[in-house]
């Protein structure tokens, strides 16, 4: 198929447009967005898909919004060696017209539904739908790689080129085998349809049979469980009866031994009372002995501490005398240190005073120079303030002077010059307007006046003659220029305050000189004040060294400075505003003295002070040590005194406690009471020993435990008997219910049902396995053949791709003849791992290869790209453009784009511009 022309009328936003396309070669249709490029492809599809009376929304969508018009499409194409002119109009005045021109020139026409049916027949007869959809790339689909395995023209082309027919694998047979296979299996090999349902039915029947069998087994288990429970229950009843008899026997023994246990408990109680009384008497005796020991110990301690207290008082008194002596020596050293510190301070003051006087002398010299510099700065500033002339002013004055000279020269050339001379005795009167120069009212005898007349001059001899001289029309303009130039010059001179240009130049020279002097003086001032204003330091030093007598003698003002370098001749006419800057300062004359000698005296005084400070440190250490020793001795004396007083208090308290205890019970009574309590305890313990022998002989202590153990065993056996009775009743109930449910009948029916469904499933399984074997065998043979006939397409893709990617470009096709992998420079990558631009380029190359293979057959179709190559760089655009140009030599390539720059490298391309 070749598309020659498309005409659209009232189609979306297109009122009417005809696009004619070359039957071979690459055609680039260029247009802005929404100009109707994609509508061309859509219109070609609609004209073959929908009849003119279709009510589809696709037709409603192409009608211009708000317009009651009929969309119309006309296509001119070659199909199966025939030329077709096909026109269709929808919605209003519907019509369909088809004209077919045979290769021998015969023409046949159809209209209406017949035209639609015939066009549809011809299209489906000569155009494979899979190939058409593969080679027509809609907008936004340029990244989708084609899978053309079902395109019959391509299969025919590669089969013919490879020379490998697909024996035994015709499409009807393949479809029939695949249809039969899919009745039983999915493409993934899982059971489906009746076969899958049969498997589920077998599984369900097996489950039902297993459940029935399990129910019968549970009944057998319940029967065996009931028999075992009956035997166990009889055994437990027998053991429980025996245990109850044993419990009664133990209970009778316990009643017989309870009296002996009561008598033992009574004797134990009396023994505990006697033992408690003995413990009380024993504690009383021990406490009495402790009191006697404390009185003896406190008496001895009191005597020792009294003696130690006297010794500590003597030591503390001697330590206090030592501290007084050390403090007196320390006071002497402190006094000597104060004297030496006073000497050091006097020496330091003397040195500081001499240093300050030397610094004051230096600062006075610096301040004198600074005063002169500031006077120069003030004078230069005064001069610059008075001068109003700068370079721009002088330039303006020079321009104004030149304008005046130029205007007067033009006036002298352009107006008449009149010379008037009086020769006789008659007076000559003159009057003028617009005359350059002074005009006398009357000329004297033999007097001459030379005048440039730019206006009017009247020369008259009273009573005899009057001569009027008038200048031409241009003279007034020249005079006006002269007057304007003179006025501008006078205004500039007045503003600058000078009489002429020479005076302005002189002032400008003086201003430059003053500026240079000002800059030099300010640099000197900055260097003099880099460390601060010396006046402030002078004031501080003057206040510190204040000498009123010398200040009054000096007049309170520094001597005048003479012979200061600099251009001072410029400032002689100005008075310095800084002449009285230091009137308030009193600068005393420095005292006479030797700074080096004063420094030596200061060092000597400091050395003596350091020696005294070392003596003071030693004295302070001695005082501290004596004070510490005295404090320790005093503390020891205080502690001895406190310990002696505490010992006396403890002795008195112990004596008082002992007397109080003896008042209640004397020492002999305490010993006697303890002996009596001991005898009583021994008697009660002897009685307790006899009663315990009776208890042991009767075994009374074990009877209570034996009774508890027997009761526990009886309770356990009774609980076991009750549990067995409940389990037996439950099992018998289930057996009774199973008999009513007919479990045996249910099991028999389940077995019959399972046998039936298994037979049906085995029949379907044999058919399914047969279908799978045929399908796999046929698929294996098809795969072997496909491997052979995919080689031409793979070779064509690689041949085209090497023009873009280089000689290392390789591809691998899958079973659907789609590109699965790309190899470049030895690196293999799956298609989905490639960049967006590479995927798009590979999709275009694949479609061009398919077009190349089928271009010579009757089933060829145009390749249409709508807005492709949007992700390619500049270099790839150049290579892809060359490839598209070469592909156009074998078929019809149509490209729709709004970016024509992408296809500027396509050689021999035909560009068609669509206007909005």
């Amino acid at each position: 198929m070749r598309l020659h022309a498309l005409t659209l009328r009232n189609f979306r936003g297109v009122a009417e447009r005809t696009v004619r396309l070359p039957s071979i070669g690459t055609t680039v249709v260029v247009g802005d967005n929404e100009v109707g490029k994609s509508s061309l492809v859509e219109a070609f599809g609609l004209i073959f898909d929908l009849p003119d009376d279709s009510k589809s929304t696709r037709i409603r969508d192409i009608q211009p919004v708000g317009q009651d018009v009929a969309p119309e499409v006309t296509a001119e194409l070659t199909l199966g060696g025939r030329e077709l002119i096909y026109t269709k109009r929808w919605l209003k005045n519907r019509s369909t017209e088809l004209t077919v021109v045979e290769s021998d020139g015969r023409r046949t026409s159809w209209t209406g539904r017949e035209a639609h049916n015939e066009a549809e027949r011809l299209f489906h007869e000569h155009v494979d739908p899979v190939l058409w959809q593969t080679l027509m790339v809609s907008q936004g689909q340029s990244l989708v790689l084609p899978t053309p395995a079902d395109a019959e023209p391509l299969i025919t082309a590669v089969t013919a080129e490879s020379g490998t027919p697909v024996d035994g694998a015709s499409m009807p047979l393949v479809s029939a085998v695949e249809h039969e296979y899919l009745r039983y299996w999915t493409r993934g090999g899982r059971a489906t349809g009746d076969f899958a349902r049969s498997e589920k039915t077998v599984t369900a029947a097996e489950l039902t049979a297993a459940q029935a069998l399990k129910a019968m087994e549970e009944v057998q288990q319940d029967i065996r469980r009931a028999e075992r429970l009956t035997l166990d229950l009889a055994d437990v009843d027998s053991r429980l009866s025996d245990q109850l008899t044993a419990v009664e026997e133990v209970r009778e023994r316990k009643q017989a031994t309870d009296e002996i246990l009561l008598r033992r408990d009574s004797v134990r109680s009396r023994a505990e009372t006697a033992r408690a009384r003995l413990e009380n008497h024993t504690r009383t005796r021990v406490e009495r002995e402790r009191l006697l020991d404390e009185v003896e110990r406190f008496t001895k301690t009191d005597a020792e501490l009294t003696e130690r207290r006297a010794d500590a008082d003597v030591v503390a008194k001697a330590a206090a005398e030592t501290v007084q002596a050390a403090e007196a020596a320390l006071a002497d050293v402190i006094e000597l240190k104060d004297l030496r510190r006073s000497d050091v301070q006097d020496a330091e003051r003397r040195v500081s005073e001499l240093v300050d006087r030397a610094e004051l002398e230096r600062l006075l010299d610096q301040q004198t120079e600074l005063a002169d510099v500031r006077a120069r700065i003030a004078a230069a500033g005064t001069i610059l303030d008075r001068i109003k002339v700068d370079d721009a002013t002088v330039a303006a004055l020079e321009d104004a002077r030149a304008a005046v000279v130029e205007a007067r020269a033009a006036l002298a050339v352009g107006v008449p010059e009149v010379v008037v001379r009086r020769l006789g005795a008659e007076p000559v009167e003159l009057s003028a307007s617009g005359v350059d120069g002074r005009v006398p009212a009357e000329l004297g005898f033999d007097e001459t006046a030379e005048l440039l007349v730019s206006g009017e001059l009247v020369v008259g001899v009273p009573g005899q003659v009057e001569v009027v001289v008038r200048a031409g029309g241009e003279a007034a303009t020249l005079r006006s220029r002269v007057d304007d130039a003179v006025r501008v010059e006078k205004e500039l001179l007045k503003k600058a305050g000078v009489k002429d240009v020479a005076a302005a130049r002189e002032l400008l020279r003086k201003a430059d000189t003053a500026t240079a002097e000002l800059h030099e003086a300010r640099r000197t001032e900055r260097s003099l004040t880099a460390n601060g204003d010396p006046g402030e330091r002078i004031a501080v030093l003057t206040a510190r060294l204040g000498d009123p007598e010398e200040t009054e003698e000096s007049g309170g003002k520094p001597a005048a400075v003479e012979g200061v370098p600099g251009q001072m001749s410029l400032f002689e006419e100005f008075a310095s505003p800084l002449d009285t800057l230091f009137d308030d300062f009193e600068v005393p004359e420095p005292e006479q003295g030797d700074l080096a000698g004063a420094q030596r005296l200061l060092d000597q005084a400091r050395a003596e002070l350091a020696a005294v400070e070392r003596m003071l440190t030693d004295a302070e250490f001695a005082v501290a040590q004596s004070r510490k020793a005295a404090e320790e001795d005093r503390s020891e004396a205080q502690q001895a005194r406190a310990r002696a007083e505490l010992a006396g208090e403890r002795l008195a308290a112990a004596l008082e406690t002992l007397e109080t205890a003896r008042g209640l019970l004397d020492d002999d009574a305490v010993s006697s009471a303890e002996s009596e309590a001991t005898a009583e305890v021994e008697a009660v313990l002897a009685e307790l020993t006899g009663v315990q022998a009776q208890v042991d002989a009767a075994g009374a202590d074990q009877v209570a435990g034996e009774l508890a153990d027997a009761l526990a065993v009886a309770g356990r056996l009774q609980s076991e008997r009750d549990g067995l009775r409940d389990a037996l009743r439950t099992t018998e109930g289930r057996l009774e219910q199973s008999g009513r449910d007919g479990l045996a009948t249910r099991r028999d029916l389940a077995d019959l049902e399972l046998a039936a469904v298994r037979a049906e499933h085995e029949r379907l399984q044999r058919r399914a396995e047969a279908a799978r074997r045929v399908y796999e065998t046929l698929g294996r043979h098809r795969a072997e053949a496909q491997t052979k006939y995919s080689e031409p397409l793979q070779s064509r893709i690689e041949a085209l791709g090497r023009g873009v990617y280089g000689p290392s470009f390789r591809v691998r096709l899958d079973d659907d003849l789609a590109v699965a992998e790309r190899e470049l420079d030895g690196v293999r990558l799956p298609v989905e791992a490639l960049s967006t631009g590479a995927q798009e380029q590979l999709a275009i190359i694949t479609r061009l290869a398919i077009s190349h293979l089928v271009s010579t057959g009757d089933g060829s179709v145009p390749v249409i790209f709508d807005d492709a190559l949007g992700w390619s760089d500049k270099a790839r655009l150049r290579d892809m453009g060359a490839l598209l140009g070469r592909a156009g030599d074998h078929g019809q390539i149509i490209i729709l784009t709004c970016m024509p720059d992408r296809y500027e490298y396509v050689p021999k391309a035909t560009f068609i511009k669509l206007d909005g």
Side-chain angles (χ1 to χ4, degrees):
M1 182 182 72
R2 291 290 182 266
L3 183 61
H4 304 303
L6 271 176
T7 300
L8 278 64
R9 297 183 183 87
N10 301 320
F11 196 98
R12 293 192 183 275
V14 179
E16 183 172 357
R17 173 179 294 130
T18 298
V19 177
R20 298 199 172 274
L21 304 168
S23 59
I24 194 169
T26 303
T27 303
V28 181
V29 181
V30 181
D32 296 335
N33 291 328
E34 300 184 0
V35 79
K37 302 184 300 298
S38 300
S39 297
L40 296 173
V41 180
E42 183 182 12
F44 186 77
L46 286 176
I47 196 174
F48 284 98
D49 289 347
L50 300 177
D52 56 19
D53 58 352
S54 174
K55 305 299 183 183
S56 173
T57 56
R58 296 169 61 189
I59 301 300
R60 292 292 179 185
D61 291 341
I62 64 174
Q63 185 182 31
V65 178
Q67 301 182 31
D68 188 17
V69 293
E72 182 178 338
V73 177
T74 299
E76 299 179 17
L77 65 155
T78 298
L79 195 61
R82 304 180 181 91
E83 294 184 6
L84 279 67
I85 303 173
Y86 190 22
T87 302
K88 186 174 290 185
R89 184 166 57 246
W90 293 274
L91 299 180
K92 294 184 65 177
N93 300 322
R94 300 188 304 271
S95 67
T96 302
E97 298 178 359
L98 173 65
T99 300
V100 177
V101 180
E102 300 290 345
S103 57
D104 56 2
R106 291 184 295 107
R107 300 172 65 92
T108 307
S109 299
W110 292 266
T111 59
R113 174 64 70 165
E114 293 181 352
H116 172 79
N117 294 337
E118 181 64 17
E120 186 177 27
R121 185 189 66 79
L122 291 174
F123 187 81
H124 289 123
E125 179 182 349
H126 298 285
V127 176
D128 182 76
V130 176
L131 182 64
W132 171 247
Q133 294 298 326
T134 298
L135 298 185
M136 184 182 68
V137 183
S138 302
Q139 192 172 27
Q141 300 297 318
S142 60
L143 297 178
V144 180
L145 270 76
T147 54
D150 293 332
E152 288 296 332
L154 176 63
I155 299 302
T156 302
V158 297
T159 302
E161 186 163 334
S162 64
T164 305
V166 187
D167 297 333
S170 63
M171 292 306 296
L173 176 60
V174 171
S175 299
V177 171
E178 183 176 8
H179 177 72
E180 183 66 17
Y181 172 80
L182 294 178
R183 283 184 57 190
Y184 305 104
W185 308 96
T186 64
R187 295 190 183 276
R190 295 189 302 272
T192 186
D194 293 339
F195 183 46
R197 288 191 293 272
S198 176
E199 286 185 344
K200 294 179 180 178
T201 303
V202 170
T203 302
E206 290 176 345
L207 178 61
T208 302
Q211 290 174 347
L213 180 60
K214 183 179 180 182
M216 288 300 297
E217 291 176 352
E218 290 177 354
V219 169
Q220 296 297 327
Q221 291 176 0
D222 285 343
I223 294 172
R224 290 190 294 271
R225 186 182 298 110
E227 294 174 351
R228 186 177 64 254
L229 289 174
T230 302
L231 296 175
D232 292 343
L233 181 60
D235 179 63
V236 170
D237 283 339
S238 175
R239 287 189 288 125
L240 178 60
S241 178
D242 295 341
Q243 185 64 29
L244 291 176
T245 302
V247 168
E248 290 300 324
E249 292 175 355
V250 175
R251 184 176 288 115
E252 291 175 357
R253 285 177 57 202
K254 185 176 182 300
Q255 289 176 355
T257 58
D258 283 346
E259 183 179 355
I260 300 174
L261 292 176
L262 289 174
R263 188 166 65 252
R264 186 186 65 177
D265 292 341
S266 176
V267 175
R268 278 180 177 176
S269 177
R270 287 190 290 112
E272 292 294 333
T273 302
R275 190 181 289 110
R277 188 179 300 112
L278 175 60
E279 290 176 354
N280 289 334
H281 289 300
T282 302
R283 282 196 298 271
T284 301
R285 178 183 59 78
V286 172
E287 179 64 19
R288 184 64 53 85
E289 292 175 352
R290 187 187 64 78
L291 289 175
L292 291 172
D293 291 340
E294 279 188 353
V295 169
E296 182 180 359
R297 188 175 69 256
F298 287 160
T299 300
K300 183 179 180 180
T301 302
D302 182 61
E304 293 176 354
L305 292 177
T306 301
E307 183 181 356
R308 192 178 299 171
R309 173 182 176 181
D311 294 341
D313 289 340
V314 174
V315 172
K317 184 177 180 181
E321 293 174 355
T322 302
V323 169
Q324 291 176 358
E327 289 178 347
L330 177 63
D332 294 340
V333 176
I334 290 174
E335 183 178 358
L336 180 61
K337 177 184 176 182
D338 292 339
L339 291 175
R340 293 294 178 264
R341 183 182 291 110
S342 178
D343 294 342
V344 170
Q345 290 175 351
D346 292 341
E348 287 177 345
R349 281 195 298 271
R350 179 60 180 168
V351 171
S352 177
E353 182 179 0
L354 292 175
V355 171
D356 289 345
R357 288 187 181 279
E359 177 68 12
L360 180 61
E361 291 177 1
R362 185 185 68 78
L363 291 174
L364 285 173
D365 294 340
Q366 182 177 340
Q367 186 62 48
T368 302
E369 183 178 359
L370 181 61
D372 175 65
V373 169
R374 286 175 173 169
R376 290 162 58 194
I377 291 173
T382 303
I383 291 176
L384 292 176
D385 291 341
R386 292 182 179 180
I387 295 174
K388 301 179 180 180
V389 176
D390 54 10
D391 291 337
T393 303
V394 171
L397 286 173
E398 290 177 346
D399 292 341
R401 179 74 267 180
V404 170
V405 172
E406 181 180 354
R408 284 181 174 170
L411 180 65
V413 174
V415 301
E417 182 180 4
V418 177
V419 179
V420 181
R421 182 178 181 185
R422 179 178 173 183
L423 299 177
E426 296 296 331
V428 178
E429 298 177 352
L430 300 175
S431 64
S433 63
V435 176
D436 191 16
R438 188 179 66 82
V439 180
E442 183 177 347
L443 291 178
F445 179 74
D446 202 23
E447 183 178 0
T448 303
E450 297 180 357
L451 302 172
L452 292 173
V453 180
S454 58
E456 183 179 80
L457 174 66
V458 179
V459 181
V461 178
Q464 296 183 9
V465 67
E466 182 180 78
V467 178
V468 178
V469 180
R470 295 187 180 90
E474 186 179 359
T477 301
L478 296 175
R479 165 54 62 184
S480 175
R481 291 180 181 176
V482 172
D483 293 341
D484 292 342
V486 171
R487 186 185 75 256
V488 171
E489 182 183 26
K490 287 181 178 180
E491 290 176 354
L492 291 174
L493 291 173
K494 181 179 179 182
K495 182 178 180 181
V498 295
K499 62 181 180 179
D500 53 20
V501 176
R505 292 196 187 98
E506 180 62 21
L507 282 180
L508 182 60
R509 185 189 64 77
K510 289 183 177 182
D512 293 339
T513 303
T515 300
E517 180 66 22
L518 178 62
H519 292 166
E520 177 62 28
R522 282 179 175 169
R523 281 195 298 272
T524 304
E525 181 187 25
R526 284 195 297 271
S527 66
L528 292 174
T529 58
N531 298 322
D533 193 342
E536 298 177 358
R537 182 65 178 161
I538 291 172
V540 173
L541 293 176
T542 302
R544 186 187 302 168
L545 300 173
D547 189 349
E549 295 180 358
E550 293 185 4
T551 302
E552 292 175 0
E553 292 175 2
S554 63
K557 183 177 179 181
V561 181
E562 297 180 357
V564 177
Q567 300 178 5
M568 296 301 294
S569 59
L570 293 174
F571 313 131
E572 293 175 353
E573 57 178 315
F574 304 109
S576 173
L578 303 177
D579 290 342
T580 60
L581 182 63
F582 306 107
D583 290 348
D584 296 334
F585 287 113
E586 296 180 359
V587 183
E589 289 292 332
E591 296 180 7
Q592 297 296 327
D594 183 9
L595 178 59
Q599 185 65 43
R600 286 194 299 274
L601 291 176
L602 175 60
D603 295 340
Q604 182 179 356
R606 285 176 175 171
E608 293 176 356
L609 176 60
V612 173
E613 286 178 345
R614 287 193 295 274
M615 293 173 60
L616 177 60
T617 302
D618 297 339
E620 288 176 344
F621 179 73
V623 171
Q625 291 296 105
S626 61
R627 284 175 178 172
K628 181 179 179 181
E631 184 64 27
E632 291 176 353
D633 294 338
R634 185 167 56 253
S635 175
E636 182 64 27
Q638 290 176 354
Q639 291 177 2
R641 189 180 299 110
R643 287 194 294 269
E645 292 175 355
L646 180 60
E649 293 175 356
R650 287 179 176 177
L651 176 59
L655 290 172
E656 182 179 358
T657 302
L658 179 61
E659 292 299 326
T660 301
R662 284 174 174 173
L664 296 175
L665 190 65
D666 59 17
D667 298 340
D668 296 336
V670 170
S671 300
S672 176
E674 184 181 12
S675 298
E676 292 176 356
T678 302
E680 181 182 2
V681 168
E682 290 175 351
V684 173
L685 288 177
E687 183 181 0
L688 179 61
T689 301
V691 174
Q692 183 63 42
Q694 295 177 3
V695 170
D696 294 340
D701 287 335
Q702 290 78 24
V703 172
E706 292 176 359
L707 179 60
D709 293 342
L711 289 173
V713 171
R716 180 177 58 78
L717 290 174
Q718 189 170 4
S719 298
E720 185 178 354
R721 183 190 63 182
D722 295 339
L724 290 173
R725 284 177 178 176
D726 293 340
L728 181 58
R729 283 195 295 269
T730 302
T731 302
E732 289 174 348
R734 284 203 302 270
L735 289 173
E736 184 179 358
Q737 182 64 36
S738 298
R740 289 196 297 267
D741 291 343
L743 294 180
T745 303
R746 287 172 53 192
R747 184 191 64 181
D748 295 339
L749 292 176
D751 290 341
L752 292 174
E753 178 67 20
L754 177 60
V757 297
R758 276 180 175 171
E760 178 63 20
H761 177 68
E762 290 173 357
R763 183 182 63 80
L764 289 174
Q765 187 174 20
R766 288 192 297 272
R767 293 178 62 88
E769 291 297 335
R772 181 164 63 181
R773 284 194 297 271
V774 173
Y775 179 78
E776 290 176 350
T777 302
L778 182 59
R780 186 170 60 255
H781 287 291
R782 287 197 69 201
E784 294 173 357
Q786 188 175 27
T787 302
K788 296 179 180 179
Y789 67 68
S790 64
E791 192 276 333
L793 178 59
Q794 180 177 344
S795 300
R796 196 62 50 88
I797 293 175
E798 291 177 349
L800 295 176
R802 291 189 185 106
V804 177
Y805 296 99
S808 64
F809 176 77
R810 300 286 189 279
V811 295
R812 184 183 67 81
L813 305 184
D814 59 14
D815 294 341
D816 293 329
L817 299 183
V819 178
E821 292 180 353
R822 185 203 71 178
E823 180 179 347
L824 193 62
D825 296 329
V827 179
R828 296 176 60 184
L829 291 175
V831 171
E832 56 272 13
L834 300 176
S835 67
T836 303
Q839 291 185 36
E840 182 186 43
Q841 295 153 16
L842 193 56
I844 293 174
I845 292 172
T846 302
R847 289 183 170 89
L848 293 178
I850 295 171
S851 175
H852 195 181
L853 284 172
V854 302
S855 61
T856 58
D858 293 337
S860 64
V861 295
V863 183
I864 301 176
F865 296 109
D866 190 355
D867 197 17
L869 293 180
W871 288 276
S872 299
D873 55 39
K874 196 74 172 178
R876 291 287 169 81
L877 284 176
R878 183 181 296 106
D879 296 335
M880 290 300 295
L883 179 62
L884 289 169
R886 292 194 302 272
D889 296 338
H890 303 281
Q892 186 180 29
I893 311 296
I894 301 173
I895 300 172
L896 309 175
T897 184
C898 60
M899 302 291 290
D901 295 344
R902 297 178 187 171
Y903 304 96
E904 61 182 355
Y905 302 107
V906 180
K908 299 181 293 184
T910 301
F911 283 82
I912 299 175
K913 174 68 174 177
L914 301 183
D915 297 327

